[in-house]
């Protein structure tokens, strides 16, 4: 889908506006021009607080509930280790990991504080940071750093889902959890990570509150917040920017880096969630959740544009479900590479649709996201 001159202009204005922060005259001019384009877009009003309440908060509710369930499972397992207990721990991890995939691309609200996103799921990791952190903590004979008052200050590599995945799915993990000299230490580390994830997910949800309290209450009241929402009217722009970023995260971080330039340069070992076998499921979860957000936001568009958004975003979900189960292994075969390249094309089309017709139709600018670089 090609971008119209209007959409290109609108997106450009948004990026100019962000780059011009701190330059009042330029920023004011940009705001004025953006307003002109918004008027031309004849955008139907979409309530950002409604989208937060109806799309985001149910996902945070499930994240918090599943994180608490994982903590309870670890507490039970550490009291009475068993093979069935290991299966339960893995099932809890899988559910929580996919919950996170559904909200990982949201960068506004309580998740922006205290490195919460990185502490929940450090991705992509570099220089085997997670593996080194887990090994170092297992070999430590003291419990001091695993206590809640210290654990959250450790490296993000040790605190979240990637560390838990290694603890549960690395070669020999089942046996090491059940018996042997490391069993107790591995259980203590798993309990510390589970407790940290339960705390983080609770903070994410509690920070939003409800229609009369916390951030959501402020948004419904139209009040700004110096930390989270200096301009509440900019929240829709942030939403569409994060939505575009969702597809970019999948393409850049989960597919292109694994594919490499050719089959000889494929890098299967950096495939996300390869240990737990969730590499495809993670992508499906991201794209499905992004599609739901896109369709929710598109309710402010005319029927033709709504249908265009639904078609391209449903196409992305279909492409994700058609991916091979093991992305890393697929990158090493010609057939698998073709499947991945087909999916990449569908995801890029979905990303393009966020600019036009979605952002253009809503009359909001697309901003930079964390993957755009300098």
């Amino acid at each position: 889908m090609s971008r119209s001159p209007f959409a290109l202009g609108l997106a450009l204005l948004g990026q100019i506006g962000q780059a011009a922060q701190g330059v009042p005259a330029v920023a004011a001019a940009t705001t004025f021009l953006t307003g002109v384009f918004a008027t031309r877009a004849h955008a139907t009003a979409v309530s950002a607080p409604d989208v937060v309440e109806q799309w985001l908060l149910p996902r945070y509710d499930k994240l918090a509930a599943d994180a608490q369930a994982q903590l309870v499972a670890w507490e039970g397992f550490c009291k009475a280790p068993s093979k069935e207990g290991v299966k339960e721990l893995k099932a809890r991890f899988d559910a929580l990991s996919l919950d996170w995939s559904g909200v990982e691309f949201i960068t506004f609200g309580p998740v922006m504080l205290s490195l919460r996103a990185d502490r929940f799921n450090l991705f992509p990791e570099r220089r085997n940071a997670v593996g080194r952190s887990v090994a170092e903590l297992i070999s430590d004979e003291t419990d001091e750093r695993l206590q809640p008052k210290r654990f959250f200050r450790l490296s993000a590599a040790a605190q979240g889902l990637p560390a838990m995945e290694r603890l549960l799915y690395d070669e020999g993990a089942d046996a090491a959890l059940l018996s042997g000299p490391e069993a107790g230490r591995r259980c203590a580390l798993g309990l510390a990570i589970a407790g940290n994830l339960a705390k983080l997910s609770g903070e994410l949800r509690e920070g939003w509150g409800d229609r009369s309290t916390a951030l959501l209450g402020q948004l419904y009241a139209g009040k700004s917040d110096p930390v989270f929402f200096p301009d509440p009217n900019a929240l829709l722009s942030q939403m569409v920017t994060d939505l575009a970023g969702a597809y970019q995260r999948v393409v850049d971080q989960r597919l292109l880096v694994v594919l490499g330039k050719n089959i000889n340069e494929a890098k299967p070992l950096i495939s996300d969630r390869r240990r737990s076998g969730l590499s495809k499921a993670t992508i499906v979860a991201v794209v499905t959740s992004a599609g739901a957000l896109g369709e929710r936001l598109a309710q402010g568009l005319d029927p033709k544009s709504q249908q265009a958004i639904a078609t391209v975003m449903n196409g992305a979900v279909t492409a994700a479900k058609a991916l091979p189960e093991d992305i890393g292994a697929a990158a090493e075969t010609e057939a698998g590479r073709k499947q991945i390249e087909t999916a990449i094309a569908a995801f890029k089309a979905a990303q393009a649709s966020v600019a036009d017709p979605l952002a253009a139709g809503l009359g909001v600018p697309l901003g930079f996201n964390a993957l755009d670089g300098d």
Side-chain angles (χ1 to χ4, degrees):
M1 185 179 297
S2 61
R3 295 177 64 180
S4 69
F6 165 75
L8 289 170
L10 192 59
L12 177 61
L13 283 172
Q15 299 206 341
I16 291 174
Q18 294 202 14
Q21 287 180 356
V23 186
V26 178
T30 302
T31 300
F32 170 74
L33 291 172
T34 302
V36 171
F37 273 96
T39 300
R40 288 180 179 177
H42 300 295
T44 302
V46 173
S47 165
D50 283 352
V51 178
V52 168
E53 186 178 41
Q54 296 163 12
W55 177 85
L56 179 59
L57 296 192
R59 286 166 170 77
Y60 276 154
D61 283 338
K62 189 169 188 309
L63 185 80
D66 282 345
Q68 187 62 36
Q70 177 181 249
L71 175 59
V72 170
W74 273 97
E75 290 171 341
F77 177 80
C78 290
K79 292 177 182 176
S82 67
K83 291 183 179 179
E84 287 303 313
V86 173
K87 290 182 180 178
E88 174 71 8
L89 294 179
K90 290 183 175 179
R92 295 297 181 187
F93 168 83
D94 292 357
L96 187 62
S97 178
L98 296 178
D99 289 343
W100 175 254
S101 300
V103 293
E104 66 163 34
F105 51 89
I106 294 301
T107 64
F108 55 85
V111 74
M112 63 189 284
L113 292 185
S114 306
L115 295 175
R116 283 169 174 156
D118 285 342
R119 290 165 58 208
F120 208 101
N121 184 53
L122 184 67
F123 176 78
E125 67 165 316
R126 292 178 173 82
R127 300 177 181 177
N128 193 30
V130 175
R132 287 188 287 105
S133 294
V134 169
E136 197 271 332
L137 284 171
I138 289 175
S139 64
D140 185 352
E141 296 180 353
T142 68
D143 286 334
E144 183 181 356
R145 290 189 297 166
L146 298 187
Q147 298 305 310
K149 64 181 180 181
R150 283 287 309 277
F151 192 73
F152 78 97
R153 298 181 184 278
L154 301 184
S155 165
Q159 294 190 36
L161 292 170
M164 185 69 90
E165 184 186 32
R166 284 179 177 267
L167 205 56
L168 290 170
Y169 287 100
D170 266 347
E171 185 176 355
D174 286 22
L177 279 166
L178 290 170
S179 63
E182 293 183 355
R185 187 64 183 175
R186 285 175 176 269
C187 205
L189 177 55
L191 199 54
I193 297 172
N196 188 60
L197 291 172
K199 184 173 186 296
L200 281 170
S201 60
E203 291 171 346
L204 293 179
R205 181 60 186 90
E206 291 163 8
W208 278 108
D210 56 33
R211 287 191 171 205
S212 59
T213 64
L215 281 179
L216 188 60
Q218 285 183 243
L219 286 174
Y220 270 114
K223 297 179 179 177
S224 63
D225 184 283
V227 175
F228 297 104
F229 305 112
D231 179 6
N233 295 323
L235 184 53
L236 272 181
S237 173
Q238 185 65 61
M239 286 179 175
V240 295
T241 299
D242 283 354
L243 177 57
Y247 296 104
Q248 190 174 350
R249 285 167 183 261
V250 170
V251 171
D252 292 358
Q253 297 182 337
R254 292 190 169 91
L255 295 177
L256 288 179
V257 295
V258 180
L259 274 180
K261 293 181 180 178
N262 54 58
I263 198 167
N264 295 321
E265 295 186 22
K267 298 177 180 177
L269 295 183
I270 63 173
S271 175
D272 187 30
R273 294 288 190 268
R274 67 178 177 84
R275 292 176 175 80
S276 54
L278 296 176
S279 59
K280 170 186 172 180
T282 296
I283 292 171
V284 172
V286 175
V287 172
T288 300
S289 187
L293 175 58
E295 291 197 39
R296 176 62 185 83
L297 292 171
Q299 290 176 9
L301 306 182
D302 60 81
K304 181 179 179 181
S305 296
Q306 285 189 40
Q307 184 57 52
I309 290 285
T311 298
V312 75
M313 291 193 173
N314 288 338
V317 173
T318 299
K321 291 179 178 177
L323 280 167
E325 290 293 333
D326 188 334
I327 300 298
E332 295 186 299
T333 69
E334 291 295 348
R337 293 178 71 84
K338 287 182 180 178
Q339 287 180 282
I340 293 173
E341 288 165 355
T342 298
I344 288 173
F347 300 156
K348 286 185 175 180
Q351 183 182 353
S353 76
V354 177
D356 182 17
L358 184 60
L362 292 174
V364 298
L366 272 175
F368 289 119
N369 65 59
L371 304 179
D372 286 334
D374 297 331

